[in-house]
Amino acid sequence: MSNPMTEKQKRWIAGTGLFLFLLLSALIFFFAGKPLIQFVQEPERFRAWVDEQGVMAPIAFLGMLILQIVVAIIPGEPLEIAAGYAFGAVEGTLLCVLGAFLGRVAVFLLVRRFGTRAVEVFFPLDKRNELKFLQNKRRLTFWVFFLFFLPGTPKDVLCYLVGLTDLPLRSWLFIAAVAPFPSIITSTIGGNALGTENYIFAIIMFAITLIISGLGLLAYRVICKTRERSQS
């Protein structure tokens, strides 16, 4: 019978796993992330690629979306706009919602496995005081849903932090599937308008998205500062 692993061995295995994850994330960002963003920023080239892939295009695009969520430093907006341009408003929105859901569930489970070591990669722990109200178990589900529903908040980074809270997995599954929908649909509709050469409508949609996201980010900062003062 083999001897059970000691705590030191468990920590070594966990640390090695995290190091490999960080190394893989860095390699993915430099060798795939940057080319990926450049690729989707060329709408005609991206649409041609989608046409060439046929039925595999949605699956390949889901992989791009999951990669973007896990490697939180890759911006998501170009992918959402490209989805609307190449797949249309409805299919593009559904793909973005599904990809974001799968990526954020993966991040949540990753953080639950590795703890603060996984979070420190993207979110300085000394800034956690700004989100102390997420330690309020009684209203935790409400605040997490609200932050992910509110456009303009740093959702890809926040999902790493949520993994450190006591939020149940079933609650996170619901939030990850439903809450980000409003912020996604405006980008995909704008991308679809570009694809159909409805440029005036596209400009209007992107302007609305920019204004709403700016207001959402401002509200996020105000909420963080207000809650931090009330709990200090």
Side-chain angles (χ1 to χ4, degrees):
M1 179 180 293
S2 60
N3 295 325
M5 289 189 297
T6 64
E7 287 300 319
K8 183 177 180 180
Q9 289 174 323
K10 291 179 180 178
R11 288 195 298 269
W12 185 88
I13 292 173
T16 302
L18 181 61
F19 171 77
L20 292 175
F21 167 73
L22 298 180
L23 179 61
L24 180 61
S25 297
L27 291 174
I28 288 173
F29 175 70
F30 284 107
F31 291 103
K34 288 183 177 180
L36 171 63
I37 296 304
Q38 293 172 353
F39 179 49
V40 298
Q41 286 177 337
E42 300 178 29
E44 290 299 334
R45 181 185 172 198
F46 181 68
R47 177 181 276 177
W49 176 84
V50 168
D51 292 338
E52 291 173 0
Q53 302 306 310
V55 295
M56 292 301 296
I59 298 175
F61 188 66
L62 279 177
M64 296 180 186
L65 292 166
I66 294 171
L67 168 66
Q68 181 270 318
I69 296 291
V70 175
V71 186
I73 52 179
I74 299 176
E77 288 76 11
L79 284 171
E80 294 170 1
I81 295 171
Y85 187 96
F87 293 99
V90 176
E91 186 179 358
T93 298
L94 293 176
L95 284 172
C96 288
V97 170
L98 179 59
F101 171 77
L102 294 175
R104 284 167 183 161
V105 171
V107 167
F108 185 88
L109 296 176
L110 177 74
V111 175
R112 285 289 167 92
R113 176 65 182 84
F114 292 106
T116 57
R117 289 170 294 181
V119 178
E120 286 177 314
V121 181
F122 303 108
F123 196 97
L125 291 181
D126 59 357
K127 292 186 178 182
R128 289 175 62 190
N129 289 334
E130 298 177 3
L131 299 170
K132 273 187 176 180
F133 57 89
L134 291 184
Q135 299 173 11
N136 185 339
K137 295 181 180 180
R138 187 170 59 87
R139 305 201 68 188
L140 177 60
T141 301
F142 166 79
W143 280 116
V144 173
F145 184 92
F146 180 75
L147 289 176
F148 278 83
F149 182 83
L150 191 68
T153 57
K155 297 176 180 62
D156 294 341
V157 176
L158 282 174
C159 67
Y160 273 86
L161 190 61
V162 170
L164 295 178
T165 70
D166 295 322
L167 186 74
L169 176 60
R170 63 181 180 276
S171 298
W172 178 242
L173 293 176
F174 172 77
I175 292 171
V178 176
F181 184 82
S183 60
I184 289 175
I185 193 171
T186 53
S187 296
T188 53
I189 288 177
N192 181 59
L194 283 178
T196 57
E197 299 183 358
N198 192 348
Y199 299 119
I200 295 178
F201 183 68
I203 292 173
I204 293 173
M205 287 304 303
F206 290 141
I208 291 174
T209 301
L210 182 62
I211 293 171
I212 293 176
S213 297
L215 292 174
L217 181 59
L218 178 62
Y220 166 75
R221 291 178 175 175
V222 170
I223 290 170
C224 290
K225 290 181 180 179
T226 302
R227 300 298 298 181
E228 182 181 3
R229 285 197 298 266
S230 66
Q231 295 184 14
S232 59

